[in-house]
Amino acid sequence: MRNHIHHKNAANTTELPRALPAASPTVLLAALLGALLAAVGLFWPVPAAQAAVVPNAITSVSTTSTVGDQWSQVDFTCRWAVPDGSQPGDTFTLQLPPQLRWFGSTDFDLKTPSGETVATAHASDSGLVVFTLGSFVASHQGIGGTCSFSTLYAEKPASGGTTQLDFQVGSTVIRVPVTIDQPCQQDCAPKPPATPEKGMWWSDTAQTELKSVFHLPATTLPTSDVTITDTPGPGTQIDCSQIVPRVGTALDQDGNIATPSDEDAYPAVIECTPSLLTVTWTGLPKGELAQLFVVTKVTDGTLDAYTNSGHVTIAGKDTPVMVEVRRTSAAGTGNGSALPSPTPTVASPTSTRDGATGLETPPATGTPTTGTPTTGSPTTGTPGPSTAPVAGPPETPAQPQPTAAPLAYTGAGGTAVVPLAILLLAGGTVLAFLGMKRSAKRRAH
């Protein structure tokens, strides 16, 4: 069968306008995704860079303390400085030498004379002190200051003289000489005191508990009654579960009653409340020594000093005793000069045209004075470099300087999303255009 093809007269044929070809869902999705990413990239927050570690910020360490024996308190001071441009959150460290143990507050602030916090510090049990810069450094330059802290000498000195303590500061070591008292050479055995004595000391580095001991002289009568009363001062109370009375006739090398002791033969009568302790021995023979160990808890940690008073009565003779222990605390200072204020932007002179005459009026004469502020040296810390003022040309006025150094950024954020969004948007547009052309060709055939 022959196909019949009907030919239309071109002159009588009317072409209806064709609708634009619809893009495929995939193409539309690509274009939409590109536009969405472009919008998100414009507002995506740029994450801040990780805090930096400032090397060798501790510039010196010194002490005037002398080591008398193991567990002697040794106080140190230091000076520190960080370079301009350091950011809030940046840190620097100080590692104590192995001979020393941290003693006192583990957290403290480094403040300006007006009370602004420049940095904070935290000391770990390992003796590592980490200093963290605060927001103060964002608006100041020439940042530096001091620190002070207390330690305990943990080793038993072998001999007198001077020893070197190595403080690790970043990649360097600061060596500090410390004087060691000459130990006893002869007749060094502990001896009983001639009169009643009392000592008290901190038993923990957090300074929440105090230990004390009463040392009594040997009794001199055939029999003696002995009574000790102990009264804690403000901010403390007695822990009645940690009362240890001792009696005997000899002392060990640490000055405590040696074993075997005589507690079983001469037991003590203990009456204790958090605010008062009374311990009594009855009928102690001649030559007997008595000691009493007491633990008190701190109930008010805001005090600078804690006292304890007591009375010792031996064969009717009363002797008052009193002791005070001060709280050791780490502290620090910091300071810096404020960043210069922004220099106002001076507009370039322009000509004006008179609307009536059409003549131009020349700009006013005179050149604005601009200059770069000089960076001054800080009161504490390492001086910053000095920059001489430089006058800029009149047609290029100095740009204003920010009053606060902005946080550093990694660059991986919204700025990276925008190019990708543009590529996707362009790709989606091209695909949409090619789809439209192919659709047009198919309709043409």
Side-chain angles (χ1 to χ4, degrees):
M1 179 180 290
R2 183 176 296 178
N3 291 328
H4 297 278
I5 302 176
H6 300 277
H7 296 276
K8 295 182 180 179
N9 191 329
N12 299 325
T13 303
T14 301
E15 289 282 348
L16 294 175
R18 295 179 179 179
L20 290 175
S24 69
T26 304
V27 173
L28 291 175
L29 181 61
L32 180 61
L33 181 60
L36 179 61
L37 285 176
V40 171
L42 293 176
F43 300 98
W44 192 279
V46 181
Q50 291 185 350
V53 177
V54 181
N56 309 323
I58 302 292
T59 58
S60 67
V61 182
S62 61
T63 183
T64 57
S65 298
T66 298
V67 176
D69 204 343
Q70 186 179 21
W71 307 118
S72 292
Q73 182 172 321
V74 183
D75 297 327
F76 286 90
T77 59
C78 76
R79 298 190 67 84
W80 63 274
V82 296
D84 291 346
S86 297
Q87 299 295 322
D90 289 352
T91 61
F92 58 94
T93 60
L94 173 67
Q95 176 65 57
L96 299 184
Q99 297 97 322
L100 301 180
R101 296 288 183 272
W102 186 261
F103 182 64
S105 302
T106 56
D107 295 281
F108 58 96
D109 295 335
L110 288 70
K111 295 185 176 183
T112 66
S114 62
E116 293 182 85
T117 298
V118 179
T120 59
H122 173 75
S124 66
D125 293 339
S126 65
L128 178 66
V129 188
V130 178
F131 299 84
T132 303
L133 299 178
S135 60
F136 180 89
V137 302
S139 57
H140 291 76
Q141 59 190 358
I143 306 296
T146 65
C147 65
S148 59
F149 50 93
S150 297
T151 68
L152 297 177
Y153 197 84
E155 295 185 354
K156 183 74 173 177
S159 61
T162 301
T163 187
Q164 298 288 335
L165 299 180
D166 293 343
F167 291 80
Q168 187 74 35
V169 178
S171 59
T172 63
V173 172
I174 299 179
R175 290 188 170 176
V176 181
V178 174
T179 302
I180 307 294
D181 282 345
Q182 184 69 31
C184 180
Q185 300 297 317
Q186 60 181 3
D187 193 21
C188 301
K191 298 179 177 61
T195 58
E197 297 177 353
K198 183 180 181 182
M200 189 165 68
W201 63 96
W202 292 109
S203 62
D204 62 336
T205 57
Q207 300 183 358
T208 63
E209 184 178 273
L210 288 157
K211 286 187 177 180
S212 58
V213 58
F214 289 82
H215 292 282
L216 274 58
T219 54
T220 57
L221 300 178
T223 60
S224 300
D225 294 340
V226 176
T227 300
I228 298 176
T229 60
D230 187 47
T231 305
T236 62
Q237 63 182 21
I238 297 172
D239 183 353
C240 294
S241 66
Q242 299 192 67
I243 307 301
V244 180
R246 300 290 306 276
V247 289
T249 57
L251 301 177
D252 60 19
Q253 62 181 1
D254 296 322
N256 298 323
I257 291 177
T259 55
S261 57
D262 298 334
E263 284 88 23
D264 292 338
Y266 306 100
V269 176
I270 301 174
E271 298 177 4
C272 183
T273 69
S275 59
L276 180 64
L277 169 67
T278 302
V279 178
T280 303
W281 290 272
T282 301
L284 291 182
K286 182 179 180 179
E288 200 75 19
L289 303 169
Q291 289 179 339
L292 177 64
F293 295 88
V294 182
V295 172
T296 53
K297 301 287 188 178
V298 173
T299 57
D300 182 358
T302 64
L303 303 182
D304 292 329
Y306 298 89
T307 60
N308 188 288
S309 59
H311 287 264
V312 176
T313 304
I314 303 176
K317 182 180 180 181
D318 181 76
T319 303
V321 291
M322 184 173 180
V323 66
E324 178 184 85
V325 172
R326 302 195 66 82
R327 181 180 292 278
T328 63
S329 61
T333 65
N335 216 335
S337 56
L339 289 173
S341 301
T343 303
T345 302
V346 180
S348 299
T350 58
S351 299
T352 60
R353 184 180 298 274
D354 188 289
T357 64
L359 298 177
E360 290 188 357
T361 303
T365 59
T367 303
T369 303
T370 61
T372 303
T374 301
T375 302
S377 300
T379 303
T380 58
T382 303
S386 177
T387 305
V390 179
E395 61 273 15
T396 309
Q399 297 299 314
Q401 300 297 318
T403 57
L407 288 175
Y409 296 110
T410 61
T415 55
V417 175
V418 173
L420 176 60
I422 293 174
L423 288 176
L424 287 175
L425 185 59
T429 304
V430 170
L431 290 175
F433 179 73
L434 293 177
M436 292 168 63
K437 290 187 64 178
R438 285 197 297 270
S439 178
K441 288 182 180 180
R442 284 196 299 270
R443 289 175 178 273
H445 291 288

